[in-house]
Amino acid sequence: MKNNLSSLSDLAAAFGKAPIAQDKSTPASDDSLVYSTDTGRISQQKEKSITPSDGFARVRRETKGRKGKGVIVISGLGLDNKALKELAKKLKKTCGSGGSVVDETIEVQGDKREVIQQVLEKAGFKVKFTGG
């Protein structure tokens, strides 16, 4: 018998019991599990789904929450994140202003709706102005 019992399996073997074999090759299927003592932190696979487009790019002007500064918000494009960033870069360069991509929308600073409409129509989108 061992003099040094370093784990529960050693203790079970000392009393003549067979240790319980654990299968570590299959990860736990519990979605709420975030940490395991066997494998460490468990990262959740995030599936980003793209909202499909109905064929219209909606262009609207917003000032809410921006201290009165107006931005043009373009939504309903149905593009993935990489394509949205490329289109936003093209729009910002054409308008000569700043902007960003937020979730599935593009925000361009300033009121350049006509220029944005031309660029989007050249890119193959139908443009619909919404809001005021």
Side-chain angles (χ1 to χ4, degrees):
M1 182 162 85
K2 291 183 178 179
N3 293 334
N4 187 5
L5 301 176
S6 62
S7 67
L8 289 176
S9 62
D10 292 339
L11 183 64
F15 285 105
K17 304 274 183 172
I20 299 171
Q22 295 180 352
D23 185 18
K24 296 181 182 179
S25 63
T26 58
S29 63
D30 188 12
D31 290 337
S32 64
L33 188 63
V34 293
Y35 189 83
S36 172
T37 55
D38 290 336
T39 59
R41 182 163 300 280
I42 298 173
S43 61
Q44 302 291 329
Q45 285 78 23
K46 296 180 181 178
E47 295 180 18
K48 291 196 174 190
S49 62
I50 301 169
T51 306
S53 175
D54 63 348
F56 289 98
R58 288 176 170 65
V59 179
R60 69 181 182 273
R61 183 173 184 272
E62 284 186 2
T63 58
K64 187 174 182 180
R66 294 177 174 86
K67 299 181 183 178
K69 309 280 185 181
V71 297
I72 302 300
V73 179
I74 304 144
S75 60
L77 297 172
L79 299 174
D80 63 337
N81 200 17
K82 185 177 179 182
L84 274 177
K85 287 183 181 182
E86 290 175 8
L87 182 60
K89 184 177 180 179
K90 184 177 181 182
L91 287 170
K92 293 187 295 183
K93 189 173 183 178
T94 304
C95 294
S97 62
S100 64
V101 175
V102 178
D103 295 329
E104 293 182 1
T105 62
I106 298 174
E107 295 180 356
V108 179
Q109 296 172 354
D111 191 5
K112 308 269 187 173
R113 285 182 277 199
E114 293 77 23
V115 176
I116 291 173
Q117 178 184 13
Q118 292 172 357
V119 172
L120 288 175
E121 285 177 348
K122 284 182 183 177
F125 294 101
K126 297 177 194 170
V127 178
K128 184 183 278 189
F129 293 112
T130 59

